[in-house]
Amino acid sequence: MDRPLLFNAFEMASAMHNAHGLWKHPDSERHRRYKELYYWVEMAKRLEAGLFDAVFFADVLGVYDTYRQSPAPSIRDGMQFPLNDASLVIPVMASVTNHLSFVLTASTTYEHPFHIARRFSTLDHLTDGRMAWNIVTSYLPNAAKNFGLERMIAHDQRYEIADEFLEVTYKLWEGSWEEDAFVEDRGAGMLIDPAKIHPIHHCGAFFSVEGPHLCEPSPQRTPVLYQAGSSERGRAFAAKHAECVFVGAPSPERLQAYIEDIRRQAEQYGRDPEQLKFFTFLTVIVGKTSEEAEAKFEQLRRLWSADAAKAQFSGASGYDLAEYETKPSDEPFLFRTTDHGHYKAASLTKDAAKRLTIGEALQKAGTLTRESVIIGNPTQVADAIEERARRSGVNGFNLTHLVTPKDLDDFIEYVVPILQRRGLYKTAYTPGTMREKLFGGGARLPSHHPAAAFRSIGVRTKSS
Amino acid sequence: MDRPLLFNAFEMASAMHNAHGLWKHPDSERHRRYKELYYWVEMAKRLEAGLFDAVFFADVLGVYDTYRQSPAPSIRDGMQFPLNDASLVIPVMASVTNHLSFVLTASTTYEHPFHIARRFSTLDHLTDGRMAWNIVTSYLPNAAKNFGLERMIAHDQRYEIADEFLEVTYKLWEGSWEEDAFVEDRGAGMLIDPAKIHPIHHCGAFFSVEGPHLCEPSPQRTPVLYQAGSSERGRAFAAKHAECVFVGAPSPERLQAYIEDIRRQAEQYGRDPEQLKFFTFLTVIVGKTSEEAEAKFEQLRRLWSADAAKAQFSGASGYDLAEYETKPSDEPFLFRTTDHGHYKAASLTKDAAKRLTIGEALQKAGTLTRESVIIGNPTQVADAIEERARRSGVNGFNLTHLVTPKDLDDFIEYVVPILQRRGLYKTAYTPGTMREKLFGGGARLPSHHPAAAFRSIGVRTKSS
């Protein structure tokens, strides 16, 4: 097991993220304050004081409208709606911190690689190399309709596009500017040497981009690459590109199987499999005593919105759970992410009988279940985190906070000191960029990463 | 003449903006610091201390590569290259100021309205209503090639697209959310009333967008709308949409004719023509004495880069001026903005003989000419500004600073106090959003603006 473990605050620039209906909790501030500058300034200071590694901003590009074929259940509880553009709060958070890193989600399906390359380079400059990109292909049908499509592009084709999207950004980030192009030579009257700036002349199946990249090389050039794919195609993509993989699984053992599978595939791409970090979900309900924690849990359960939770589950999985509310189903539960097909999220398990049925999924979806959270006094919570990490081999966690900011404060006050005593939580930040903090090597992508192949693009352009 | 006049700092998140070759000046900081967070923090504090109305961020989406059919002359002097994403420094600048407003340029040709609507709503929230959008259709051939096009879309068609782009954003900003949708009703378990959130169902020639808008109504809903079009099509567009028009002309009288023409056209669209503010270029070289100012000017002329200046002029006009360097031409100078045609930037003048020839344009392009700047001691500069405003009827200026930040400091120290004594420069900010500060009415677009037609979109959706 990695020591220390890594901890990200799992966030969204939204009224509510994964805390369905909990805007009703008396301590909830976020549903009113997520749109304020100072909310994010305070959040950044809190997280750096608590030695969090990063804040991970999830994102979607539409409303969840699969459940009951209506957006009403999600809108009613502010479930990931409204949802602002998180990129715009990151520099403000960086301005009041020195070490906290930032994971920004951006879609390869609905963004353009030229814009994305520029946005991340700018952010990596402004944060002094504290940026990561969570690469997503976007799953909501409403997102497709917001960007001119009648229906979502089929799942595997979205990954084909993503693959080429990354190739374009690698060329811009790694190949377009040679390292010493900014010369500032007053005698020669030359600020930048044009011979060291290269167009990329990308011409592919989905994108055609001339370049050069508009930005100077930032501290990391390519931001740290995060990805969260659990389908077979998604795992292959992660194995090829991702440095950090965010993955959920119904048990630590299942998680371990995923991790081993992705590491194995990464090796086949010529990468060092130990240079991949794996993160999973973590939700903690902690009290000074276990009774206090149980009381907290009961209060959250009472305030929980089953409708908002089902709306999220339906939107993410592609099932309208409302269809099954009156007729129980024993069909196996598979993720459906397009109108044309579905994929097996759980295909890694050898034990097909353990797969969820739709009926079971439905039951789980609407409740804040005891299995989905860690409840207890500080020692019990620390024990459970330690056990989960040991059994799964995960390197870190994306911590969901149900009542913001109270839950973060409680975690930092009660749980962090115990984890620190056990060597499971850092006691100080290490210097350097996000990549240096995570992997201990250089600020740039290692030479075994496929992006490294595009570093010589200028040389090839010149000789052709 | 308006009292006080309005003053924006004319900026770009770039090594150099319109100060060709002046990175060589010993006081230049920006070419090294434009990519740092604290450069923009300091800039914001400086501008608010100097009571500037706004910082105006220009932007392009490619390199200038028309001159000598090569990007080398612009790259060599860092002419608008490298160029970061300015949207990302605005919230940081807002975090250290209370009144300074922000004009962000965004392209209707290479961006998507759903993204743009969300970005501006987020910025308007984070800045408490201090945002404006400078609407551009983008002119660089390299920008087209960065976004998958072999050549630029024809000039007038870019405006057709822009027109529909604005319709989409108006629907999202003005119509998608009713005013009192955020109810936070704990008893009913309702944070947001779904009946008051409306999809926009936009389906046009260029865009198809379902909605709803992802963001809560921001203080201004629609940001203040800036536009800078001098072609006939551009002026018609400004007359229909713009609240602030940024326009250049070779003389105050020509400028006045433009302003009158656009006001007249605005009236035809049912708008109050006095609710449009006009801005033009201003470059000031000020010294304690006129001798000191002249010495400054001579130093800047010596450091000026003719190549970078011609590269900008060629890229913006569509002419490769290098073609005319050896063969003088008496052909009239027209702006060419596509491979398919050109338009008459100066078509308003009745006196065709006064139009520039290509030969004259070439000569002007490479030099820091005395006519393009105001040079003098503080009183002389204030006199010239006052005269320019009086003769043209302009409401304000975008102040180019040639050596940053020194020129801004000099302007604030020397020129502002004299303008203040004459009532031409504010002595304190007025409260409210950017729109309230500019027009004295409400924070939202007035009912005579065409965007107001989309406020009832939800009602129409319900009855249909």
Side-chain angles (χ1 to χ4, degrees):
Chain A
M1 183 170 62
D2 262 23
R3 285 170 189 274
L5 295 165
L6 300 161
F7 287 86
N8 301 330
F10 196 26
E11 257 296 353
M12 203 170 205
S14 176
M16 288 278 109
H17 180 199
N18 291 326
H20 305 305
L22 298 186
W23 58 271
K24 299 189 294 290
H25 193 284
D27 290 332
S28 175
E29 284 188 13
R30 65 170 305 125
H31 63 284
R32 278 189 305 263
R33 296 198 56 208
Y34 76 94
K35 53 191 186 291
E36 290 173 23
L37 208 52
Y38 294 100
Y39 176 77
W40 298 105
V41 166
E42 290 164 24
M43 174 70 76
K45 289 179 178 169
R46 169 182 289 113
L47 295 176
E48 183 149 298
L51 296 175
F52 270 74
D53 291 284
V55 51
F56 182 115
F57 281 108
D59 196 38
V60 291
L61 291 167
V63 287
Y64 288 73
D65 58 5
T66 304
Y67 183 58
R68 293 189 205 146
Q69 295 167 51
S70 160
S74 46
I75 290 175
R76 202 175 157 89
D77 270 304
M79 195 279 286
Q80 304 188 8
F81 179 89
L83 176 54
N84 284 348
D85 182 336
S87 68
L88 297 163
V89 299
I90 289 173
V92 179
M93 298 178 83
S95 76
V96 296
T97 53
N98 292 306
H99 291 286
L100 185 68
S101 296
F102 305 95
V103 188
L104 176 67
T105 295
S107 168
T108 52
T109 305
Y110 305 119
E111 292 273 7
H112 192 280
F114 196 78
H115 283 311
I116 286 295
R118 189 179 179 212
R119 195 166 309 145
F120 276 97
S121 290
T122 302
L123 287 168
D124 203 50
H125 277 299
L126 295 174
T127 62
D128 272 329
R130 293 189 267 156
M131 280 308 300
W133 172 21
N134 179 39
I135 306 156
V136 298
T137 65
S138 300
Y139 55 49
L140 294 179
N142 179 243
K145 290 177 189 157
N146 288 332
F147 290 93
L149 303 176
E150 287 207 28
R151 55 186 68 229
M152 289 164 69
I153 297 168
H155 176 266
D156 285 8
Q157 198 190 356
R158 295 208 304 273
Y159 276 100
E160 296 301 315
I161 296 170
D163 226 35
E164 190 185 321
F165 192 112
L166 283 176
E167 186 181 325
V168 175
T169 55
Y170 292 157
K171 287 174 176 172
L172 291 167
W173 284 325
E174 299 289 328
S176 186
W177 284 64
E178 291 183 41
E179 204 56 58
D180 49 357
F182 193 95
V183 292
E184 204 182 345
D185 182 340
R186 283 184 162 65
M190 184 159 75
L191 182 64
I192 298 161
D193 185 351
K196 292 180 172 172
I197 306 294
H198 310 289
I200 65 166
H201 296 305
H202 178 87
C203 190
F206 305 105
F207 301 106
S208 159
V209 179
E210 175 159 286
H213 187 35
L214 289 185
C215 304
E216 277 187 72
S218 67
Q220 300 184 117
R221 284 191 180 246
T222 298
V224 171
L225 300 170
Y226 261 78
Q227 205 260 355
S230 50
S231 67
E232 271 183 57
R233 187 67 185 83
R235 276 182 277 127
F237 185 90
K240 180 173 171 189
H241 297 286
E243 301 173 87
C244 297
V245 185
F246 178 32
V247 60
S251 71
E253 289 66 31
R254 193 81 67 84
L255 190 56
Q256 188 179 34
Y258 272 55
I259 292 172
E260 281 169 12
D261 175 63
I262 294 174
R263 286 204 207 273
R264 201 177 308 120
Q265 290 192 52
E267 204 161 6
Q268 286 162 14
Y269 282 109
R271 301 180 61 195
D272 176 354
E274 294 313 307
Q275 291 283 305
L276 274 74
K277 301 278 187 195
F278 290 85
F279 293 77
T280 194
F281 296 92
L282 177 67
T283 308
V284 161
I285 297 172
V286 65
K288 279 182 210 155
T289 62
S290 54
E291 292 72 29
E292 195 182 296
E294 287 292 336
K296 255 188 179 181
F297 175 59
E298 283 312 316
Q299 183 186 25
L300 295 174
R301 268 167 89 103
R302 277 196 307 277
L303 297 171
W304 194 254
S305 164
D307 271 11
K310 287 179 193 166
Q312 185 191 23
F313 196 90
S314 292
S317 67
Y319 281 80
D320 176 4
L321 289 182
E323 286 178 26
Y324 302 91
E325 284 175 321
T326 47
K327 49 170 176 94
S329 165
D330 289 332
E331 287 174 54
F333 177 77
L334 302 170
F335 274 82
R336 289 194 288 206
T337 57
T338 72
D339 294 344
H340 311 299
H342 43 241
Y343 69 86
K344 300 175 191 176
S347 60
L348 256 188
T349 174
K350 306 242 161 35
D351 186 0
K354 282 198 183 147
R355 217 178 279 158
L356 279 182
T357 67
I358 293 176
E360 289 164 341
L362 175 63
Q363 225 171 354
K364 288 196 170 190
T367 338
L368 180 62
T369 61
R370 194 169 277 281
E371 304 81 63
S372 64
V373 292
I374 293 176
I375 309 165
N377 64 34
T379 305
Q380 289 171 320
V381 168
D383 289 347
I385 291 172
E386 182 168 0
E387 191 201 344
R388 191 179 290 191
R390 198 183 54 243
R391 281 171 59 196
S392 65
V394 83
N395 308 94
F397 297 96
N398 273 0
L399 181 72
T400 294
H401 30 117
L402 295 176
V403 180
T404 314
K406 186 80 172 62
D407 276 10
L408 287 168
D409 291 335
D410 288 351
F411 184 80
I412 292 167
E413 184 181 347
Y414 296 126
V415 184
V416 167
I418 298 178
L419 293 173
Q420 284 175 323
R421 283 201 288 279
R422 300 182 188 180
L424 294 172
Y425 201 102
K426 75 178 96 42
T427 53
Y429 284 108
T430 51
T433 62
M434 183 177 191
R435 186 171 284 116
E436 290 167 291
K437 284 178 165 67
L438 282 170
F439 299 104
R444 304 289 165 80
L445 275 172
S447 57
H448 62 76
H449 191 281
F454 302 106
R455 287 181 179 153
S456 52
I457 192 172
V459 182
R460 277 190 282 128
T461 302
K462 272 185 275 186
S463 67
S464 67
Chain B
M1 183 171 61
D2 262 22
R3 283 169 190 276
L5 296 165
L6 300 162
F7 288 87
N8 301 329
F10 196 26
E11 257 296 352
M12 203 171 206
S14 175
M16 289 277 108
H17 180 199
N18 291 325
H20 305 306
L22 298 186
W23 57 272
K24 299 189 294 290
H25 193 285
D27 290 332
S28 175
E29 283 187 14
R30 67 171 303 125
H31 64 285
R32 276 188 304 264
R33 297 198 56 210
Y34 75 95
K35 54 191 185 289
E36 290 172 23
L37 208 53
Y38 294 101
Y39 176 77
W40 298 105
V41 166
E42 290 166 23
M43 174 71 75
K45 291 179 177 170
R46 169 183 288 115
L47 295 176
E48 183 148 298
L51 298 174
F52 269 75
D53 290 284
V55 51
F56 182 115
F57 280 107
D59 196 36
V60 291
L61 291 167
V63 288
Y64 288 74
D65 58 5
T66 304
Y67 184 57
R68 293 191 205 145
Q69 295 167 51
S70 159
S74 47
I75 290 176
R76 203 177 156 89
D77 270 304
M79 195 280 284
Q80 303 187 10
F81 179 89
L83 175 55
N84 284 349
D85 182 337
S87 68
L88 297 163
V89 300
I90 289 173
V92 179
M93 297 178 83
S95 76
V96 297
T97 54
N98 293 307
H99 291 287
L100 185 69
S101 296
F102 305 95
V103 188
L104 176 67
T105 296
S107 168
T108 53
T109 306
Y110 304 120
E111 292 272 8
H112 192 280
F114 196 79
H115 283 311
I116 286 295
R118 188 180 181 213
R119 195 165 311 146
F120 276 96
S121 291
T122 302
L123 286 168
D124 203 50
H125 277 298
L126 295 174
T127 63
D128 271 329
R130 293 189 267 154
M131 278 308 301
W133 173 21
N134 178 40
I135 306 156
V136 298
T137 65
S138 300
Y139 56 47
L140 295 179
N142 178 243
K145 292 178 188 155
N146 289 332
F147 290 93
L149 302 176
E150 285 207 29
R151 55 186 69 227
M152 288 164 71
I153 297 168
H155 176 266
D156 284 9
Q157 198 189 356
R158 294 209 304 273
Y159 276 100
E160 296 302 316
I161 296 170
D163 227 36
E164 190 184 322
F165 193 113
L166 282 176
E167 186 180 326
V168 175
T169 56
Y170 292 156
K171 287 174 176 172
L172 292 167
W173 285 325
E174 299 289 328
S176 186
W177 282 65
E178 289 184 41
E179 204 56 58
D180 49 357
F182 193 94
V183 293
E184 203 182 347
D185 183 340
R186 281 184 164 63
M190 183 160 74
L191 182 66
I192 298 162
D193 184 351
K196 294 182 173 172
I197 306 293
H198 309 289
I200 65 166
H201 295 306
H202 177 86
C203 190
F206 305 105
F207 301 106
S208 160
V209 179
E210 174 159 288
H213 186 35
L214 289 186
C215 304
E216 275 188 75
S218 67
Q220 301 184 114
R221 284 190 179 247
T222 298
V224 172
L225 299 170
Y226 261 78
Q227 203 261 355
S230 50
S231 67
E232 271 183 56
R233 187 68 186 81
R235 274 181 280 127
F237 185 90
K240 180 173 171 191
H241 298 285
E243 302 174 86
C244 296
V245 186
F246 178 33
V247 60
S251 72
E253 289 67 30
R254 193 82 65 83
L255 190 55
Q256 190 177 34
Y258 272 56
I259 292 172
E260 281 170 10
D261 174 64
I262 295 174
R263 285 204 207 274
R264 201 176 306 122
Q265 291 193 51
E267 204 160 7
Q268 286 161 13
Y269 282 109
R271 299 180 62 194
D272 177 355
E274 294 313 307
Q275 291 282 307
L276 273 74
K277 300 279 187 193
F278 290 85
F279 292 78
T280 194
F281 295 92
L282 177 66
T283 309
V284 162
I285 296 171
V286 65
K288 279 180 210 158
T289 63
S290 56
E291 292 73 29
E292 196 182 296
E294 287 292 336
K296 256 189 177 179
F297 176 57
E298 283 311 315
Q299 183 187 23
L300 295 173
R301 268 168 89 102
R302 276 196 308 276
L303 296 172
W304 195 254
S305 164
D307 270 12
K310 288 178 192 166
Q312 185 191 22
F313 195 91
S314 293
S317 68
Y319 281 80
D320 176 4
L321 289 182
E323 286 178 24
Y324 301 92
E325 284 176 321
T326 47
K327 46 169 179 100
S329 165
D330 289 333
E331 287 175 54
F333 177 78
L334 304 170
F335 275 82
R336 292 194 287 206
T337 58
T338 72
D339 295 344
H340 312 299
H342 43 242
Y343 70 86
K344 300 175 190 176
S347 61
L348 256 187
T349 174
K350 306 242 160 36
D351 187 0
K354 279 198 185 147
R355 215 177 280 155
L356 278 183
T357 67
I358 293 175
E360 288 164 341
L362 176 63
Q363 226 172 354
K364 287 194 172 190
T367 338
L368 180 63
T369 63
R370 193 168 277 281
E371 303 81 64
S372 64
V373 292
I374 293 176
I375 309 165
N377 64 35
T379 306
Q380 290 171 320
V381 168
D383 289 347
I385 291 172
E386 183 168 0
E387 192 201 341
R388 192 178 290 191
R390 199 184 54 243
R391 282 170 60 194
S392 65
V394 83
N395 306 93
F397 297 96
N398 273 0
L399 181 72
T400 295
H401 30 117
L402 296 176
V403 180
T404 313
K406 186 80 173 60
D407 276 10
L408 287 167
D409 291 335
D410 288 351
F411 183 81
I412 292 166
E413 183 181 348
Y414 297 126
V415 184
V416 167
I418 298 179
L419 293 173
Q420 283 175 325
R421 283 199 289 277
R422 300 183 188 179
L424 295 172
Y425 201 102
K426 77 179 92 44
T427 53
Y429 284 107
T430 51
T433 62
M434 184 177 189
R435 184 171 284 117
E436 291 168 290
K437 285 178 164 69
L438 283 170
F439 300 103
R444 305 289 166 80
L445 274 172
S447 57
H448 62 76
H449 190 281
F454 302 104
R455 286 181 179 152
S456 52
I457 192 173
V459 181
R460 276 190 283 132
T461 302
K462 273 184 276 187
S463 66
S464 68

